[in-house]
Amino acid sequence: MIASLLLCIKCKKRTEVILLKENIRLFLGLSLNSELLSFLQTNLSHWKQHLPFRSWTHPDDWHITLHFLGNMPPAIKPLIVQAMNEAAALSTRFTLRLSTLGTFGEASRPSILWIGVKEPFEPLIQLHHHLGVQLRHKVDYTPEARPYHPHLTLARKYNGEQRFSRELLAPNSLAIQTQQLELPVEALSLFQSRLGRSPMYEVIERVDLK
């Protein structure tokens, strides 16, 4: 009896591991246009020289996240696409403008370096909301409770010898502000994340806005 019970437990754990391996890691976001990608790539070496962070996002992975879904079974993808179509039908195309560099995490040793989006960005907030509502209905996804803070992640884990100072951000943000870079938002992208690869993210579905 005990041996049978242990065998059942082992089988259950093995099944859970197999199911976990079959899941795919997904998130929804905005892809960048070629003009914006070109600008960021041109300035990347300058930022790396003046802002010492341990790891920098691969240029092919640059994006603005809308909702992070996490590990999902592949069979759920059609329902996610339905949610994308429903949200897209409620949203017209719009344009965002990049603002300045910023950080998340401890002030003296931030964990993330990002480029923000210039306010107001109400159409983006509405798109984020519509998508969250549809995902809740279609796949029982619960959006994060904290306020949405749109950004493009450039790097992670500050590793400079000196304490980080926010004064470093202003001169390195100058090129972004001078160019007044715009991102036309014309579609939603469903990304699959493959941990351990570089680049890590791949667009596996795209839905156009109205």
Side-chain angles (χ1 to χ4, degrees), residues 58-95:
H58 191 289
D60 290 344
D61 286 339
W62 286 330
H63 69 278
I64 295 175
T65 300
L66 284 164
H67 289 281
F68 177 73
L69 303 177
N71 290 316
M72 293 280 183
I76 210 170
K77 178 185 168 184
L79 295 178
I80 297 173
V81 174
Q82 286 182 23
M84 294 169 67
N85 277 296
E86 294 287 348
L90 297 171
S91 306
T92 57
R93 300 182 179 191
F94 58 94
T95 299

Side-chain angles (χ1 to χ4, degrees), residues 72-188:
M72 293 280 183
I76 210 170
K77 178 185 168 184
L79 295 178
I80 297 173
V81 174
Q82 286 182 23
M84 294 169 67
N85 277 296
E86 294 287 348
L90 297 171
S91 306
T92 57
R93 300 182 179 191
F94 58 94
T95 299
L96 297 175
R97 180 173 292 176
L98 298 190
S99 57
T100 60
L101 295 172
T103 60
F104 291 142
E106 186 180 344
S108 61
R109 302 200 72 82
S111 56
I112 294 178
L113 173 70
W114 47 259
I115 300 177
V117 176
K118 188 174 183 179
E119 296 190 42
F121 41 77
E122 188 59 31
L124 179 59
I125 296 295
Q126 290 298 319
L127 176 60
H128 176 266
H129 171 73
H130 291 319
L131 191 54
V133 169
Q134 293 303 322
L135 288 168
R136 185 191 295 273
H137 290 164
K138 296 292 191 300
V139 300
D140 199 28
Y141 163 78
T142 302
E144 290 187 357
R146 60 183 176 181
Y148 178 51
H149 189 289
H151 63 278
L152 186 158
T153 298
L154 277 180
R156 299 177 185 276
K157 297 183 180 179
Y158 175 75
N159 64 347
E161 295 180 0
Q162 307 296 326
R163 289 168 58 91
F164 183 83
S165 171
R166 292 192 61 83
E167 294 178 357
L168 291 171
L169 299 178
N172 287 288
S173 296
L174 188 59
I176 304 172
Q177 296 170 311
T178 301
Q179 291 292 324
Q180 297 187 353
L181 295 164
E182 295 184 339
L183 171 61
V185 179
E186 301 175 346
L188 296 171

